[in-house]
Amino acid sequence: MIRDEKNNQYVLFFKDEGRSVDNNGWRTRQGVMRATSAHITGPWEVEWRHLQKPGQFPVEGSSVFPLIDGSKWILMYDCYANGHYQFCESTDLQHFTFVRNTPTKGKFTPRHGSVIPITKKEYRRLIKQFGMLPSISRSSSCGSTSPTSSSDMASFPTCSAASREG
């Protein structure tokens, strides 16, 4: 759940479990949906539509986060039957456009994660405490720059942390 300051509402992103039932005349199918409310405790108004790329089912483990520059929101979710994470972008938290698929293979395949910004100081403390992941070298952009556009997303999902000034 996030706070949408622009529209003065809370937005909850959740998985439609795809049960064989009709909801308000709409047939459910495993996908990402959203609900909105003026108050964090509700009442919530569900939008009976899926947000992921059309035809992409089943999906789960969604997370929404803003790009560092605040220009767009990224919706990511696990396309677990197809072996990849999918990323979509939005400027209004309502309409999402496909950006890219990122395969979930290899030795390090995080699933159902969340994204939080950290400062450079926090990044350095984490590296000091836990070291670098083998796939991230000190010359990588992780920790020195931040993804600020969807074109930066190519390397972003492989980083363990995004950084911001501080």
Side-chain angles (χ1 to χ4, degrees):
M1 178 173 26
I2 59 167
R3 176 77 179 148
D4 178 1
E5 297 292 341
K6 185 177 178 180
N7 294 305
N8 196 30
Q9 64 184 355
Y10 291 91
V11 185
L12 172 66
F13 295 87
F14 65 97
K15 177 186 178 187
D16 159 20
E17 287 292 340
R19 293 188 175 94
S20 297
V21 296
D22 285 321
N23 289 309
N24 292 341
W26 190 76
R27 186 63 137 187
T28 63
R29 191 167 178 189
Q30 292 175 321
V32 179
M33 295 175 65
R34 70 177 231 142
T36 58
S37 176
H39 306 282
I40 197 166
T41 56
W44 293 90
E45 184 176 327
V46 175
E47 295 178 11
W48 297 102
R49 65 186 179 94
H50 289 120
L51 301 174
Q52 75 270 12
K53 181 180 176 184
Q56 184 65 66
F57 296 101
V59 304
E60 66 183 13
S62 64
S63 186
V64 176
F65 60 92
L67 290 177
I68 297 295
D69 70 359
S71 64
K72 294 180 183 175
W73 293 88
I74 300 297
L75 167 64
M76 67 179 195
Y77 44 86
D78 187 354
C79 301
Y80 59 91
N82 296 329
H84 62 262
Y85 246 85
Q86 196 161 84
F87 293 81
C88 296
E89 66 184 9
S90 174
T91 57
D92 63 8
L93 288 170
Q94 293 178 345
H95 306 95
F96 289 85
T97 305
F98 172 74
V99 174
R100 67 171 286 133
N101 293 331
T102 302
T104 51
K105 61 182 179 181
K107 292 181 181 179
F108 181 67
T109 58
R111 308 296 278 272
H112 301 201
S114 294
V115 176
I116 60 169
I118 62 172
T119 65
K120 287 183 181 182
K121 182 178 178 182
E122 291 166 328
Y123 173 78
R124 287 190 293 272
R125 285 182 60 206
L126 288 168
I127 296 305
K128 183 177 180 181
Q129 180 67 34
F130 300 104
M132 298 291 288
L133 291 174
S135 63
I136 301 175
S137 69
R138 293 202 184 276
S139 63
S140 98
S141 63
C142 197
S144 60
T145 62
S146 302
T148 58
S149 70
S150 56
S151 62
D152 291 340
M153 292 298 292
S155 62
F156 183 64
T158 63
C159 294
S160 59
S163 67
R164 66 186 190 305
E165 292 300 320

